[in-house]
Amino acid sequence: MDPFVVVVLSLSFLLLLSFWRQSSGRGKLPPGPTPLPIIGNFHLIDMKNIRQSFSNFSKTYGPVYTLYFGSQPTVVLYGYEALKEALIDHGEEFSGRGSFPMFEKASKGKGLGFSRGNVWKATRLFTVNTLRNLGVGKRTIEEKVQEEAQWLVKQLKKTNGSPCDPNFIMGCAPCNVICSIIFQNRFDYEDKDFLSLIKKVNECIKILSTPECQIFNALPILLDYCPGSHNIFFKNYTYISNYLLEKIKEHEDSLDVTNPRDFIDYFLIQRCQENGNRHTIYTLEHLVSLITDLFLAGTDTSSTTMQFALLLLMKHPHITAKVQEEIDHVIGRHRSPCMQDRIHMPYTNAMVHEVQRYIDLSPNGVVHAVTCDTKFRNYIIPKGTTVITSLTSVLHDSKEFPNPEMFDPGHFLDGNGNFKKSDYFMPFSAGKRMCVGHSLVSMELFLFLTTILQNFKLKPLVDPKDLDITPVCSTFSTIPPTFQMRFIPV
Ligand code: HEM
Ligand SMILES: *[C@@H]1O[C@H](CO)[C@@H](O)[C@H](O)[C@H]1NC(C)=O
Ligand SMILES: *[C@@H]1O[C@H](CO)[C@@H](O)[C@H](O)[C@H]1NC(C)=O
């Protein structure tokens, strides 16, 4: 046969084969728009308004659909039913983590947030148990948060009621809470080590949320061609890790196995017990990645939520007045708020939940993946397929929360003014990968906000009506606009 004909024939055969494989594969995946070669569905997705795009697709294709980011299929879960069914009823299958090459390269697959399989399972179990142990220990986490709330007030008093940008101070408090859990000491808000730690954490988060970084994650091959922002990320990440490694070394020298002081001690004690096990997660490298994860996951998230809470409270003075009335009534002026108070403060509790619902900090959570070929509804999702969980679709569900675009603590109150729990409250996602910091966050938000409102009147620099609360970015994580305000002592 003519060699040319052979080439043409085999090429067409290969082409047919690839079409056939694609279409038979697609037949089992959930429905979705037809992908173009190489770019997939990128051209149909409005990156500036992903929320609206995802909502639009769900209207055409239903609550479970497939989008192609490049040549990779990604399953999107939209709405409470689909999320609950996947993350809770099929918890094990959907507990995988989607790939995040930039972060994985830095953490080398160790740690908690982006690890997989048995490493993730063991790390998760240790973390959840240790946070619980520290919570009920002698010096409980609640006390640490209360103490930090008093430092926060002290720092805010120093502003003397003059205009200030709360961004920085609101970042210090949650970072200090993590510091005191992990290595037992907090820092002065002017401490140089502390300031550079916070700065590096901020840089890392900022880089991870740039659109550029998201494109790298979809097309990791580009990373090798444009290493710029990857290197900056890597440098900042390494700075944090090295700093934490030093803290670990100090702990090793002063370890008392009968008396764990903090998170690092618990880990080191476990490490002694597992000595000799080759597959253990109890190595210093794992510990560094794990606590770096906790810093990266736990600082900016809480700080951003606090900043948004201040903005919303200033925007809605009648809501703030009701919260302050409840504080006066239940706590008074002479002692610090504690978690026990929350049961008697349904309105304040509802306000805090409403802040988290309304701002929708992490509109699509963190990418998941299925851990095996998964039969879900009538589809078959192949092992390793990326899964996006639209938390927005649950937090802004208009049946559960009428007028979801309105900030209204009434969304979490019943007709008698009692606090009303909702299964749709999913800012931390749900199931096996649910945020490990969720109870810590609830504590921080309640104690920090009530302590601030017990001590200060919040004053915007403009009329509340003119206060702009539109997020500057809400694609991958919701970021509030920068603003100034006054804290007037009461
Ligand atoms: C307002 C504050 C916070 C919000 C809204 C938030 C939200 C989330 C969300 C949506 C996820 C992804 C869950 C999933 O994969 O389905 C997550 C994971 C995680 N969060 Fe948070 N988080 C917050 C604060 C914290 C804090 C304070 C810590 C530290 C103690 C923390 C540690 C983590 C870790 C380690 C993971 C990864 C868990 C895993 O992959 O198994 N977060 N968080
Ligand atoms: C969503 O659909 C509406 C109405 O069909 C359309 O006007 C809008 O441009 C779409 N938005 C996005 C982001 O796809
Ligand atoms: C951290 O990030 C900043 C800005 O993104 C960069 O200038 C700096 O060189 C990075 N590295 C270190 C070690 O701080």
Side-chain angles (χ1 to χ4, degrees), residues 4 82 104 154 173:
F4 180 73
E104 281 164 49
K154 223 175 244 169

Side-chain angles (χ1 to χ4, degrees), residues 87 97 112-114 120 124 127 131 178 293-295 297-299 301-302 305 356 361-362 365-368 389 391 426-430 432-438 440-441 444-445:
L87 297 179
R97 191 49 99 208
L112 178 53
F114 286 91
W120 169 70
R124 172 106 191 171
T127 307
L131 288 176
I178 305 259
D293 276 7
L294 296 180
F295 268 96
T299 305
T301 44
S302 304
T305 308
Q356 287 205 272
L361 186 72
S362 183
V366 178
V367 283
H368 281 237
T389 53
L391 302 182
M426 275 194 197
F428 303 111
S429 186
K432 294 184 186 282
R433 280 276 181 177
M434 183 181 174
C435 178
V436 288
H438 69 98
L440 176 64
V441 173
E444 286 183 39
L445 294 178

Side-chain angles (χ1 to χ4, degrees), residues 200 203 207 232 235-236 239:
K200 306 294 189 261
E203 290 294 347
I207 298 168
I232 295 175
K235 277 192 189 141
N236 281 278
Y239 177 95

Side-chain angles (χ1 to χ4, degrees), residues 187 284 314 371 483:
F187 294 94
L284 294 193
M314 289 193 291
T371 55
F483 64 102

Side-chain angles (χ1 to χ4, degrees), residues 46 49 52-53 56:
D46 182 352
N49 197 351
Q52 193 55 50
S53 292
N56 281 7

Side-chain angles (χ1 to χ4, degrees), residues 44-46 49-57 59:
L44 299 175
I45 303 164
D46 182 352
N49 197 351
I50 281 210
R51 273 190 197 195
Q52 193 55 50
S53 292
F54 281 6
S55 158
N56 281 7
F57 288 129
K59 281 177 197 137

